[in-house]
Amino acid sequence: MSQHTNDYGQPVGFPLPDWQPRAWPSYETFTGDYCRLEPLNAEHHGRELYAAYALAEDGRDWTYMFAEPFADEAAYIAYARQLENGRDPMHFAVIDPVSNRAVGSLALMRIDATNGSVEIGHVAFSPLLKQTRMATEAHYLLMRYAFEQLGYRRYEWKCDSCNQPSRNAAQRLGFQFEGTFRQAIVYKGRSRDTCWFSIIDSDWPQVKQGFERWLAAENFTAEGTQREKLEALRTLR
């Protein structure tokens, strides 16, 4: 990025003379080749999500979430009712189009329409969703919405510095590590250092290319095994 200076010769950020605040995200349904995202609704999705999460062997998927594992279906549905129709975060259920059942959820959050920045968070993927084409496509659909439909400049990922799987996922998806905010949060009776990652609008064309190459049918064998990793297809010219 070229250097810019003001009338005093001081370095300043590059100009954005035509910048206008962006629209707030809306609750929409996003349909891909492998999954569908729907606004989270406790009545429609609650039982399916609880059943999907209950397939996990233990509660470790909730260690780095703000919520705890749910004792029963009623507890999860009560929690889901608190999430639906929120202005920020905005939660979406991930639907498997084969079974037509909800198998996970994620949210747009810390929405800053004035500056064109949004974070993806509250990523709660069940065993039915983890490490599938659906999981990757769910992230792609919301990223594409933020950058291409809303015109946002920045898309963030933050996680507990101890959560190595989340850190690995962010980098696999194309986020760049920006640093660690030390002692940023107290949650569940413990201190959290928070790792920050981002994708910005100038990164998006290359990130999008990687997603679309990876998600293409020809990248998978008849048994559903990937031929090339997402990271390799993002850097391939």
Side-chain angles (χ1 to χ4, degrees), residues 138-151:
H139 283 292
Y140 166 70
L141 290 173
L142 284 183
M143 275 189 216
R144 186 177 66 181
Y145 175 57
F147 285 119
E148 297 187 6
Q149 288 185 244
L150 298 178

Side-chain angles (χ1 to χ4, degrees), residues 169-235:
Q171 293 179 309
R172 173 185 175 269
L173 293 169
F175 289 84
Q176 294 188 30
F177 178 63
E178 294 183 327
T180 302
F181 282 38
R182 298 181 300 163
Q183 297 187 12
I185 295 174
V186 177
Y187 77 136
K188 295 187 174 181
R190 61 181 188 256
S191 179
R192 173 176 129 166
D193 293 352
T194 298
C195 290
W196 285 52
F197 300 83
S198 75
I199 296 169
I200 59 174
D201 53 1
S202 58
D203 302 329
W204 173 239
Q206 187 173 7
V207 172
K208 178 183 179 181
Q209 169 186 273
F211 275 122
E212 294 185 347
R213 287 174 169 175
W214 189 86
L215 290 166
E218 55 266 28
N219 188 46
F220 295 88
T221 67
E223 295 74 30
T225 303
Q226 68 175 0
R227 299 183 190 277
E228 297 287 346
K229 292 184 176 181
L230 177 58
E231 300 93 314
L233 293 172
R234 188 166 54 245
T235 57

Side-chain angles (χ1 to χ4, degrees), residues 46-123:
R47 289 180 175 82
E48 295 172 0
L49 285 171
Y50 176 75
Y53 296 141
L55 295 173
E57 294 182 2
D58 53 38
R60 71 183 61 207
D61 289 344
W62 300 94
T63 297
Y64 303 111
M65 304 288 282
F66 287 96
E68 296 284 4
F70 300 93
D72 52 36
E73 181 184 275
Y76 177 75
I77 291 175
Y79 170 74
R81 287 196 183 102
Q82 297 174 24
L83 306 183
E84 64 183 17
N85 301 318
R87 179 170 168 80
D88 187 355
M90 298 174 65
H91 291 262
F92 295 85
V94 184
I95 311 300
D96 177 352
V98 176
S99 66
N100 206 35
R101 297 176 70 85
V103 291
S105 65
L106 70 174
L108 294 175
M109 59 185 289
R110 302 190 190 282
I111 301 162
D112 181 354
T114 300
N115 295 297
S117 176
V118 65
E119 179 182 342
I120 187 70
H122 294 279
V123 179

Side-chain angles (χ1 to χ4, degrees), residues 27-30 36-41 44-45 91-95 100:
Y27 279 112
E28 300 182 25
T29 295
F30 303 98
R36 184 172 71 253
L37 303 183
E38 297 178 353
L40 179 64
N41 180 278
H44 294 156
H45 305 124
H91 291 262
F92 295 85
V94 184
I95 311 300
N100 206 35

